[in-house]
Amino acid sequence: MTQFGPRHEKLLDAWATTIETNGRGNGFDFTSPTRTNVLEQKIEAFLDSPSEDEFRDVWQSELIRGAAFGGSNAVLNNWNQPIDALAEFIREIRDATSYDPSWERQIPEYVIPAVREFYGRCDPETRPILSSAAQRGLSTFGFGTVESFSDAAGALRDFQEQYCDHIGHVTAGTEHEVALSDEIEQFLHLVSTSDEAELRKTLDMAAPTYETFAGWDALQTHGNPIELHGLSTVLDSFSAASNSAAYERDTALEQWGDDHWETWKDEYCAYVFGEVLSKCDLTELQAADVEPFLDDLSVAEPLSNVIPIYLLGGRWQPWDTFQQLSTTKPDKAATVLSNLLNEDAGPLVDRLESFNDLYSELSDSGSERMSVATMLLMIVHPDQYVMYRYQMFDDFFSEFSDYSVPYGFNPGDYVLMLDALRGVQADLDTTTDHDVRMLDVHSLLWLVHRKGPP
């Protein structure tokens, strides 16, 4: 059975918190009269006095979402029998004890999704509501695309079981209680028609509680979290070398990557924590703090090169331009940098987007802007973040996953990759003698990039 991931669970948590006390919001409405109540009345009116006008009152998108595709004329113009026969067709669907696939042969193919939805809306207490939006929503939870009614209903039952296990029938017992199938259909419709920003706004998904929801849009684009494979040799080799001090300065051992000095990053971060962060409050940087903060980061020890410049790739890199832009607009830079580096300031995706907006002139390459932003994150939060460089990430994910690293500034994709790399961090931590930080993961990525897998 498909299992919900952490973003799915956070989304369900926010949904439950919202609809427990709110009967209506942007994208959902459980208040009376419900869609079901109105539809029942319209069906009765049509059956009592069949006419095209009465049918149009039934077959409208306000009651049946799928009716928007083609409208009532999609049925009426393709119905070659008297209107009384259409009324009997509607009565048969309403009163049926189970879904009859033969109904689908009496209508155009493009009307089938609306008929499946209509069947459920006639009795949401006992039937699944299989709107097209609900089926799209199911796919975002890993249930794929299904063709037949029975397969779609089966997927929805599996989803409903996990939904109830996680949050239950939330509206039950409230003043705006609706049938479980109606509650779920409205949730799936909201999910399928909203992006991450809209969902956060509608469901009040404020940070830091909902930080792990960051990257939702990228998750939907790619379908699933990134799965890494074939890593055991590189993980074992890195841990063995690290445990043998192979990445210390001037160490010569027969280990993978022993010709690379990588622990300078630990020395640099110790300097940052001891000498730089003690001078300012990163959560509330002032305009006057910006220039000295960036100058303090721009040291060459323990290397012989200015470290941010070295991390960003040496000669052709944007650090000097970044400093210049920051000191030219110190008020805005202070706000954006505080926002970026404060983990409680909001979702990582939003913090990165704010950085990109201010520093759009930094480089023609969005990937370089991403490198600068994530380098700052890694320097200040070496346990949590790893610096992004396109080619380094592409070499790693091309080797150990089916994921294709996009070029440019893609915060959601960075979050997905960060999730996968935190898994690498956790795996390394079980076999490495010291507490593994994302700095170690950066070293591993760098070695794969420079030397290839062991």
Side-chain angles (χ1 to χ4, degrees), residues 71-331:
S72 56
N73 286 337
V75 178
L76 292 170
N77 292 344
N78 291 279
W79 188 260
N80 299 318
Q81 301 178 57
I83 194 70
D84 287 345
L86 180 58
E88 287 306 309
F89 180 64
I90 294 297
R91 187 190 305 275
E92 181 182 350
I93 295 174
R94 185 196 66 173
D95 296 342
T97 57
S98 62
Y99 188 83
D100 187 348
S102 69
W103 296 331
E104 298 179 0
R105 295 194 291 272
Q106 301 183 56
I107 53 173
E109 185 175 355
Y110 63 89
V111 179
I112 290 174
V115 168
R116 293 178 177 180
E117 177 188 349
F118 176 74
Y119 169 78
R121 293 199 183 281
C122 286
D123 185 7
E125 294 290 345
T126 64
R127 300 174 183 177
I129 302 178
L130 284 170
S131 65
S132 295
Q135 292 192 67
R136 290 195 302 273
L138 283 175
S139 69
T140 70
F141 277 77
F143 287 87
T145 302
V146 292
E147 296 297 331
S148 71
F149 177 89
S150 60
D151 288 345
L156 188 57
R157 281 194 299 272
D158 290 343
F159 174 85
Q160 179 175 303
E161 180 180 342
Q162 292 189 65
Y163 178 99
C164 290
D165 285 346
H166 194 71
I167 59 173
H169 183 179
V170 183
T171 60
T174 68
E175 293 182 352
H176 50 274
E177 179 176 349
V178 295
L180 177 60
S181 63
D182 190 0
E183 178 180 306
I184 288 176
E185 192 278 334
Q186 293 203 48
F187 170 71
L188 291 173
H189 175 264
L190 179 67
V191 168
S192 69
T193 56
S194 306
D195 62 19
E196 181 175 327
E198 292 169 329
L199 288 169
R200 284 188 178 278
K201 183 176 180 180
T202 299
L203 303 180
D204 192 24
M205 301 175 75
T209 305
Y210 293 102
E211 170 63 17
T212 55
F213 186 64
W216 172 261
D217 289 343
L219 178 67
Q220 303 320 307
T221 299
H222 298 291
N224 290 294
I226 299 169
E227 293 187 7
L228 299 174
H229 49 73
L231 269 174
S232 57
T233 300
V234 71
L235 294 177
D236 291 344
S237 298
F238 184 87
S239 288
S242 184
N243 292 341
S244 301
Y247 304 134
E248 299 286 347
R249 189 172 195 172
D250 299 325
T251 301
L253 296 170
E254 294 182 0
Q255 301 280 1
W256 179 58
D258 56 17
D259 56 342
H260 280 63
W261 171 33
E262 296 297 328
T263 57
W264 64 265
K265 284 172 278 196
D266 299 286
E267 296 178 40
Y268 175 64
C269 282
Y271 157 76
V272 170
F273 275 79
E275 303 295 333
V276 181
L277 302 187
S278 59
K279 298 179 182 179
C280 58
D281 181 358
L282 281 184
T283 65
E284 295 184 9
L285 283 173
Q286 304 301 310
D289 297 327
V290 172
E291 185 170 3
F293 171 61
L294 297 181
D295 283 343
D296 286 345
L297 292 181
S298 303
V299 297
E301 294 296 329
L303 301 179
S304 58
N305 299 300
V306 174
I307 287 177
I309 291 177
Y310 178 80
L311 281 168
L312 290 166
R315 182 179 178 185
W316 305 111
Q317 51 69 44
W319 181 250
D320 291 341
T321 305
F322 167 69
Q323 285 187 281
Q324 181 181 2
L325 289 171
S326 298
T327 54
T328 301
K329 306 174 183 177
D331 290 320

Side-chain angles (χ1 to χ4, degrees), residues 24-44:
R24 178 185 297 172
N26 185 27
F28 67 91
D29 187 355
F30 303 123
T31 57
S32 183
T34 65
R35 184 184 280 105
T36 299
N37 300 146
V38 176
L39 183 61
E40 287 175 345
Q41 297 170 4
K42 299 292 186 181
I43 291 173
E44 282 298 335

